[in-house]
Amino acid sequence: MHKLTKPKLVKIRSANEAKKYGIAAANLKELIKKGCNLLKVSSSKVHVCLYDDGTVLTEEYFQNVPDNTELVLLPEGQSWNGLVHEINQVLGLDRDSDLLISAAKDLLSDEQSPKRRRILGDLLWNLRDNSEVENREEDKDWFEGIDGRFKTKSAYMRYNCESRIRGYLKEVDGYTKTIPNVKAKSEYKKMVEILAEKLKAARYNGTYFDRSERDINRLCTEEGWFTCQGAFDQNNCAFLHSINPYGSRESRILFSTWNLDHLIEKKRTVIPTLAEALKGSKIADINVDYFYKLLFTRENLKLVHIVCHKKGAHELSCDSRKIYKRVRRTVK
């Protein structure tokens, strides 16, 4: 007589639905047959894998899995890569899904773990994203505390960037009072006026924060997502920081802590170098475009999360070959 194999109790589900079914099966063939009947799929060319990591089951493997193991039944051509699949499912859900928001709220109401509460809170915050709307009337909460002259999010974000760049110009101008030599001070003032005119013509580079601008002119995606470009001495952000200030009032406020960081430092290096170059030189000899780009453009600016904003000295210098328009010859 053949020894009867004790049925194994497992849980089975499809890749597209979270609902699980308990099945008792003595072998893999029986499991597939019962699973196909429950999940309403054809039994032709299907396979079963572990829910946790996607390992495909053989008959031998099936006989060694413990009871209550969670399995996934997959038709031909469909794969499962474990929890990564579940994460992708959540990411693929409509961000305004009332069902997902409701589920997260329910979990949060009973959750005691600070870590899990933080994760659920962040999830809810991102699900409530309202970045697809642009006008004040459509998202009044976003515009709370903002002057009434701004009717769109893009208009305010442009102004926000312009204000930062204007602040840099103010710092350049403020350096004037530290120059003791009258002639040098006069030349420096003229240089500030030239830089101010160039900046005004460029609309203070406010396009950097304006998602309605062309891709080449902005630092964000057309949806409004900004990505940290990493510390001044790094090629990218190791923490993968990103933010969409167009999404909510909270995100807009948090974005104010992000910085446009000068690679070659504005106060420590660029401004003093400009002032030094003007000593005994005419403005006509100075490479105005070079200093303009260092002070006010993406050529020397990186958008960084506050964590990636290193406050210490960058120890980078201006390029001596670009300070003047032409090589200055020394009279012997």
Side-chain angles (χ1 to χ4, degrees):
M1 291 180 65
H2 292 289
K3 183 179 179 181
L4 295 175
T5 303
K6 181 182 177 181
K8 191 173 293 291
L9 303 174
V10 295
K11 299 173 183 176
I12 198 160
R13 52 166 286 180
S14 70
N16 302 320
E17 294 183 16
K19 187 176 182 180
K20 293 170 280 192
Y21 297 89
I23 291 180
N27 52 56
L28 186 58
K29 184 177 180 180
E30 183 181 2
L31 171 68
I32 290 175
K33 182 179 179 180
K34 289 183 175 180
C36 288
N37 287 334
L38 284 170
L39 298 173
K40 304 289 191 294
V41 297
S42 171
S43 60
S44 176
K45 297 182 179 180
V46 297
H47 57 284
V48 179
C49 66
L50 294 179
Y51 168 79
D52 288 341
D53 62 9
T55 300
V56 177
L57 265 65
T58 61
E59 180 62 50
E60 182 181 3
Y61 200 149
F62 174 73
Q63 294 301 330
N64 288 281
V65 297
D67 280 349
N68 293 313
T69 295
E70 191 168 339
L71 306 173
V72 183
L73 184 69
L74 300 167
E76 184 180 21
Q78 192 171 15
S79 61
W80 176 268
N81 52 358
L83 294 175
V84 174
H85 184 96
E86 294 284 61
I87 294 172
N88 282 330
Q89 288 287 93
V90 173
L91 293 175
L93 289 173
D94 188 328
R95 62 186 169 192
D96 295 321
S97 170
D98 292 336
L99 182 62
L100 190 55
I101 290 175
S102 177
K105 282 182 176 179
D106 288 344
L107 288 170
L108 190 58
S109 65
D110 296 326
E111 184 55 61
Q112 300 301 316
S113 165
K115 181 178 180 180
R116 287 168 63 89
R117 288 185 64 84
R118 169 63 188 275
I119 293 172
L120 287 167
D122 287 347
L123 174 62
L124 275 172
W125 175 43
N126 284 287
L127 285 171
R128 288 168 177 154
D129 175 272
N130 206 21
S131 59
E132 72 277 2
V133 297
E134 173 72 8
N135 299 321
R136 178 181 283 266
E137 292 303 314
E138 297 174 303
D139 194 356
K140 292 182 179 179
D141 180 66
W142 192 94
F143 286 89
E144 184 180 332
I146 293 177
D147 192 286
R149 73 179 186 273
F150 298 106
K151 305 303 181 184
T152 67
K153 293 178 180 180
S154 293
Y156 175 76
M157 291 302 296
R158 174 186 284 270
Y159 168 78
N160 182 287
C161 186
E162 288 176 359
S163 296
R164 298 193 190 202
I165 302 296
R166 283 175 188 268
Y168 303 156
L169 179 62
K170 188 175 181 180
E171 289 181 57
V172 176
D173 186 36
Y175 192 82
T176 307
K177 63 179 180 289
T178 69
I179 303 173
N181 183 277
V182 175
K183 185 178 179 180
K185 179 178 288 190
S186 177
E187 286 297 298
Y188 186 85
K189 282 184 176 180
K190 292 177 184 177
M191 175 61 79
V192 173
E193 291 173 2
I194 292 171
L195 291 171
E197 285 301 312
K198 286 179 66 68
L199 203 49
K200 183 178 180 181
R203 297 183 298 170
Y204 300 93
N205 294 324
T207 59
Y208 292 168
F209 291 177
D210 185 352
R211 67 178 179 181
S212 68
E213 279 288 334
R214 295 191 319 170
D215 180 63
I216 194 173
N217 296 327
R218 52 180 160 80
L219 287 170
C220 61
T221 66
E222 61 183 352
E223 293 81 21
W225 282 98
F226 290 84
T227 300
C228 175
Q229 296 175 316
F232 79 93
D233 55 355
Q234 302 293 322
N235 292 326
N236 47 51
C237 175
F239 304 99
L240 304 179
H241 293 128
S242 64
I243 190 170
N244 189 341
Y246 288 84
S248 66
R249 177 172 173 269
E250 182 178 355
S251 295
R252 170 175 63 77
I253 294 171
L254 284 174
F255 185 67
S256 66
T257 66
W258 285 50
N259 294 276
L260 283 171
D261 189 24
H262 287 81
L263 302 181
I264 302 175
E265 295 170 281
K266 176 177 75 270
K267 286 184 178 179
R268 286 193 178 106
T269 307
V270 181
I271 296 176
T273 300
L274 174 59
E276 184 66 28
L278 284 166
K279 289 181 180 179
S281 299
K282 295 179 180 179
I283 289 178
D285 294 330
I286 305 299
N287 187 347
V288 178
D289 286 342
Y290 176 60
F291 284 101
Y292 171 80
K293 289 176 181 176
L294 290 183
L295 290 165
F296 308 117
T297 76
R298 288 193 289 179
E299 190 159 315
N300 190 45
L301 292 171
K302 290 183 81 173
L303 181 67
V304 295
H305 184 281
I306 190 171
V307 171
C308 294
H309 187 206
K310 295 183 179 180
K311 298 294 182 67
H314 292 189
E315 298 182 353
L316 296 174
S317 303
C318 296
D319 189 339
S320 60
R321 298 166 299 177
K322 297 180 179 180
I323 293 174
Y324 301 96
K325 286 184 178 178
R326 54 186 177 274
V327 176
R328 307 178 75 217
R329 295 181 180 178
T330 303
V331 178
K332 295 183 179 181

